[in-house]
Amino acid sequence: MLTKREDIRNIAIIAHVDHGKTTLLDAMLKQTQVFGDHQIISERVMDSYDLEKERGITILSKNTSVNYLDKRYKNEIKINIIDTPGHADFGGEVERVLNMVDGVLLLVDAAEGPMPQTRFVLKKALAMGLKPIVVINKIDRKDAVPQIALNDTFDLFIELGADENQASFTIVYCNAVLGKSSLVDTELDNDLRALFETIVDQIPAPFVDADAPFQMLIANLGYDEHLGTTCLGRVFSGKATEGENIIIIKNTNEILNEKIKYLFVFEGLKKKRVKQVSAGDIAFIAGIHNVSIGETLSSIDNTAPLPRIMVEEPTVKMSFEVNNSPFSGRSGKYLTTRQIRERLFRETKNNMALRVEDTEYADRFVVSGRGELHLAILIETMRREGYEFQVSRPEVIFRHDEDGRLLEPFEEAIIEVVNEYVGPVIELFGGRRGQLLSMENKLDATILRYQIPTRGLLGLRQQLMTISRGQGIMHTIFSGYFPHAGEVPSRKSSSLVAWETGVASTYGLKNAEDRGILFIGAGLEVYEGMVIGETYNESDITVNICKKKHLTNMRSSNKDLEYRLSTPRELSLDEAMEFLADDELLEVTPENFRIRKRKLNAEDRGKALKQKSTTLTE
């Protein structure tokens, strides 16, 4: 028999990038005394991953809980909270955790209103029938227009097909930084009581059948040095006890016998060991082997699996290859085909939106993800773990419809740019097959909304930053697969390529600098075929940057000319990935990024180019 567990609420916080999810969660943790008085609390405490702190975004979904004492009813309610990523490239993280909750807090910036990723995460939540609460955050901003943001949010609900119950959402106004909230936007209370009471009143308590056989869906996997593999998920029915024998219902419908060795629930930011968990709990089960996300843990007498977690397919792919450059093995610990392959396939166990495939080449693998950022985070993570490898230019994944027509992924791009650069931005996106959907003036900036092929976005972000002098912001979200848009021009520049292996000299670099922009400075080791700069020439230029000025015994009354080089342009990982041409690879090591030609020898590249031209002519 189904009963309500009034002592618990399960919610996820969803929003666009930088609308304040993690900051709000910080305030909720502080006001429910999760932290001790002696603790030093950092900002965005849930962004514990190094890359999250550096980039200022949430990459991985994370769980916590708070115990809220509701003074109205004089009872304590446990609120399990999941902090989700706001960037569409990490949508797989959102999709796999929403099945654990009964409602969502949708954060909307009071000045910006709903943004592309708001649409993405809200669409997923509504499709699963989750009850939403809309939190209008940052109402202290000078340009805040909370009522306009609220109206736009309501329009988005209707556009996404929200039912009557979902569209009649409760609104909470909030200043997450100061930990203030209210049900009206005129004056905020000095705490988050209004938010907590709204969660208790509006988010449905889980309906559970405590007497049914135990079942839990695995939504995340982890690893602990002492406990082994850990499985995170929501208990959908029954109870589980430490030491109990259970079964794993695999995605292939194979059934394996297992035993629950350790049980944990969340208490604040920590895991608390318990003897038993019940339906409605979000729990950790540790010590179970050979499991994957989306599989069901169940009592021995119940072999019917829970509905499996489904995520959208990848749209962008790259090849990951063993590093075969002249400098390979200098700094990496993990270099071999076996080590790289094991690491990539291990990633697919936790990262549901990622795909890894073997190729006809033993040392090359095709890795597919949701976007450039999704793959860039994987590359950066592996690099920091000591892996050394090389990757190719990102490519989109094409499909065919039932009639055999070629389809490609399209994305909706929203660009906010200073008014004086609107013309160049429109020209840039028009040249990449972008279709302008709307244009809106906002103070001294213009917001442009485009529908553009994903191919057109590859390498576009850096060009946007260049033409807008760093005053352009772009957000994108996957729109769907549509008919092929035709030829999309790639980058207009070419590469400056090192002629020989050696040490770059100031004299050699000065000559190269006259032909383009350098990526390296003097004194750096280079090898033949390594890309050392960018030129706006039609084709690549091979330069000898290792040559030195010849010495003579002739002296003049004037001092020898001093060669002064401009500061080289140091590329980040994202910029290096965008810069790559079809015949180039990015060499990734724990210490360096190096762009190189796939064929290092200039004569070999010339022959390949000639052969390609002959083939096209025929």
Side-chain angles (χ1 to χ4, degrees):
M1 185 177 70
L2 291 176
T3 57
K4 262 190 179 184
R5 278 197 64 179
E6 292 288 357
D7 63 327
I8 197 169
R9 300 291 187 276
N10 296 319
I11 63 170
I13 302 182
I14 61 176
H16 179 78
V17 176
D18 199 32
H19 277 199
K21 297 186 310 300
T22 309
T23 304
L24 178 63
L25 192 47
D26 284 354
M28 295 173 74
L29 291 168
K30 291 173 186 176
Q31 293 189 21
T32 50
Q33 282 77 50
V34 168
F35 305 109
D37 295 334
H38 65 284
Q39 282 185 269
I40 299 174
I41 305 165
S42 62
E43 290 186 7
R44 303 199 328 270
V45 67
M46 291 295 284
D47 284 347
S48 54
Y49 188 32
D50 287 344
L51 282 174
E52 292 177 323
K53 293 178 180 178
E54 292 171 18
R55 291 176 178 257
I57 60 173
T58 302
I59 295 171
L60 303 175
S61 295
K62 301 176 199 68
N63 296 66
T64 186
S65 73
V66 299
N67 292 317
Y68 175 66
L69 180 60
D70 193 334
K71 296 180 180 179
R72 298 172 300 172
Y73 311 117
K74 297 182 180 179
N75 62 338
E76 190 172 73
I77 296 172
K78 181 177 183 179
I79 304 175
N80 287 312
I81 307 170
I82 302 177
D83 183 24
T84 64
H87 200 289
D89 278 22
F90 308 111
E93 289 289 309
V94 179
E95 290 167 310
R96 70 174 174 77
V97 298
L98 286 182
N99 72 87
M100 292 194 288
V101 301
D102 302 295
V104 294
L105 296 185
L106 175 68
L107 261 69
V108 178
D109 190 299
E112 297 181 357
M115 296 290 279
Q117 273 82 351
T118 312
R119 172 186 295 271
F120 171 78
V121 292
L122 180 59
K123 181 180 178 181
K124 296 296 179 185
L126 294 178
M128 297 183 72
L130 300 177
K131 175 70 176 177
I133 295 172
V134 173
V135 180
I136 306 295
N137 191 27
K138 303 186 183 181
I139 69 168
D140 57 315
R141 285 183 57 165
K142 292 181 180 179
D143 55 346
V145 281
Q147 291 309 312
I148 294 177
L150 177 58
N151 291 339
D152 291 343
T153 303
F154 180 77
D155 292 342
L156 181 60
F157 269 75
I158 301 304
E159 183 184 339
L160 295 178
D163 61 34
E164 186 176 346
N165 181 47
Q166 292 171 325
S168 58
F169 51 79
T170 303
I171 307 106
V172 181
Y173 299 93
C174 192
N175 180 337
V177 174
L178 299 180
K180 296 182 177 183
S181 68
S182 175
L183 297 180
V184 294
D185 63 340
T186 51
E187 185 177 354
L188 298 182
D189 301 327
N190 288 322
D191 55 28
L192 295 176
R193 182 166 52 89
L195 176 62
F196 282 120
E197 290 181 355
T198 302
I199 292 172
V200 171
D201 294 341
Q202 297 298 321
I203 300 299
F207 277 91
V208 301
D209 188 348
D211 298 324
F214 162 71
Q215 278 200 315
M216 178 178 127
L217 187 67
I218 299 173
N220 196 13
L221 294 176
Y223 183 79
D224 185 280
E225 292 182 2
H226 306 289
L227 304 176
T229 302
T230 58
C231 308
L232 169 69
R234 174 172 170 169
V235 181
F236 281 89
S237 63
K239 298 177 181 178
T241 308
E242 270 195 352
E244 180 181 346
N245 291 318
I246 60 170
I247 59 173
I248 305 171
I249 305 173
K250 304 287 290 177
N251 289 326
T252 57
N253 291 323
E254 181 186 2
I255 294 177
L256 302 178
N257 292 314
E258 260 296 352
K259 184 177 182 179
I260 298 176
K261 296 179 181 176
Y262 307 97
L263 273 177
F264 297 87
V265 294
F266 286 97
E267 193 169 88
L269 298 175
K270 299 179 180 178
K271 301 183 191 74
K272 176 185 176 182
R273 188 171 177 182
V274 293
K275 294 296 182 183
Q276 188 180 74
V277 292
S278 303
D281 284 328
I282 293 178
F284 253 91
I285 297 181
I288 293 179
H289 306 287
N290 194 26
V291 288
S292 300
I293 292 175
E295 296 178 344
T296 302
L297 302 182
S298 181
S299 296
I300 294 176
D301 54 352
N302 186 1
T303 58
L306 291 166
R308 295 191 172 95
I309 299 172
M310 303 300 292
V311 299
E312 291 183 357
E313 293 296 314
T315 57
V316 176
K317 64 182 179 180
M318 303 173 70
S319 75
F320 280 55
E321 308 175 17
V322 171
N323 185 15
N324 60 4
S325 85
F327 292 171
S328 66
R330 290 192 173 189
S331 60
K333 291 192 296 182
Y334 309 110
L335 319 166
T336 65
T337 301
R338 179 184 59 81
Q339 290 169 332
I340 293 171
R341 186 181 188 279
E342 285 180 357
R343 177 62 182 85
L344 290 174
F345 277 97
R346 187 166 74 244
E347 183 70 19
T348 61
K349 290 187 175 182
N350 294 331
N351 197 335
M352 290 195 67
L354 198 77
R355 304 283 186 273
V356 179
E357 302 170 51
D358 291 309
T359 68
E360 58 184 309
Y361 304 100
D363 60 350
R364 189 178 302 178
F365 313 96
V366 174
V367 181
S368 307
R370 284 286 187 84
E372 285 180 286
L373 182 59
H374 187 199
L375 296 173
I377 294 297
L378 172 61
I379 293 169
E380 180 65 27
T381 302
M382 290 178 61
R383 183 181 78 86
R384 296 186 183 200
E385 292 173 357
Y387 285 85
E388 187 174 308
F389 53 97
Q390 52 193 15
V391 297
S392 68
R393 183 173 187 252
E395 303 174 42
V396 302
I397 299 172
F398 295 100
R399 293 182 185 172
H400 290 86
D401 65 8
E402 296 175 354
D403 299 325
R405 289 185 306 170
L406 183 63
L407 305 178
E408 67 173 316
F410 276 71
E411 301 192 34
E412 180 182 324
I414 293 184
I415 306 97
E416 184 174 344
V417 65
V418 176
N419 290 333
E420 61 181 291
Y421 300 119
V422 170
V425 170
I426 290 176
E427 183 180 353
L428 174 65
F429 277 76
R432 293 295 190 98
R433 300 280 182 173
Q435 295 182 348
L436 182 62
L437 302 179
S438 66
M439 180 188 297
E440 176 187 350
N441 289 323
K442 180 181 175 184
L443 298 178
D444 59 343
T446 299
I447 298 176
L448 304 168
R449 188 163 149 256
Y450 274 91
Q451 179 97 331
I452 184 170
T454 303
R455 280 184 302 142
L457 288 174
L458 300 179
L460 186 67
R461 199 175 299 269
Q462 187 57 40
Q463 290 188 44
L464 173 65
M465 296 300 290
T466 300
I467 65 172
S468 66
R469 303 293 191 271
Q471 299 183 72
I473 301 172
M474 180 171 70
H475 299 289
T476 60
I477 180 173
F478 175 65
S479 295
Y481 272 83
F482 301 104
H484 189 267
E487 185 179 351
V488 173
S490 57
R491 81 180 201 209
K492 295 181 179 179
S493 62
S494 301
S495 299
L496 293 173
V497 186
W499 172 264
E500 62 179 352
T501 300
V503 178
S505 67
T506 303
Y507 179 71
L509 287 173
K510 186 62 182 176
N511 291 330
E513 190 178 55
D514 295 337
R515 303 186 178 191
I517 301 169
L518 296 178
F519 296 160
I520 66 168
L524 190 75
E525 280 191 277
V526 298
Y527 55 78
E528 180 187 6
M530 178 174 158
V531 175
I532 54 90
E534 178 181 18
T535 176
Y536 288 95
N537 197 54
E538 290 185 3
S539 57
D540 295 336
I541 300 176
T542 304
V543 289
N544 185 358
I545 59 170
C546 300
K547 65 180 178 181
K548 297 180 180 179
K549 185 180 179 182
H550 292 294
L551 299 178
T552 68
N553 59 359
M554 300 294 293
R555 294 174 179 263
S556 67
S557 58
N558 297 322
K559 292 182 179 179
D560 287 341
L561 288 173
E562 292 185 0
Y563 296 103
R564 296 187 180 276
L565 298 173
S566 301
T567 303
R569 176 183 157 202
E570 294 186 10
L571 298 179
S572 66
L573 172 61
D574 303 65
E575 290 169 342
M577 287 172 59
E578 287 189 354
F579 180 81
L580 289 175
D582 292 334
D583 66 335
E584 293 173 350
L585 297 171
L586 177 62
E587 181 186 355
V588 181
T589 75
E591 296 180 359
N592 303 101
F593 303 121
R594 301 185 190 96
I595 299 174
R596 50 158 289 186
K597 290 294 180 182
R598 185 176 284 278
K599 294 182 180 295
L600 297 178
N601 182 266
E603 188 176 340
D604 292 342
R605 292 198 301 275
K607 290 178 181 177
L609 184 63
K610 186 176 180 181
Q611 185 177 4
K612 182 180 178 181
S613 300
T614 304
T615 305
L616 290 174
T617 304
E618 293 175 352

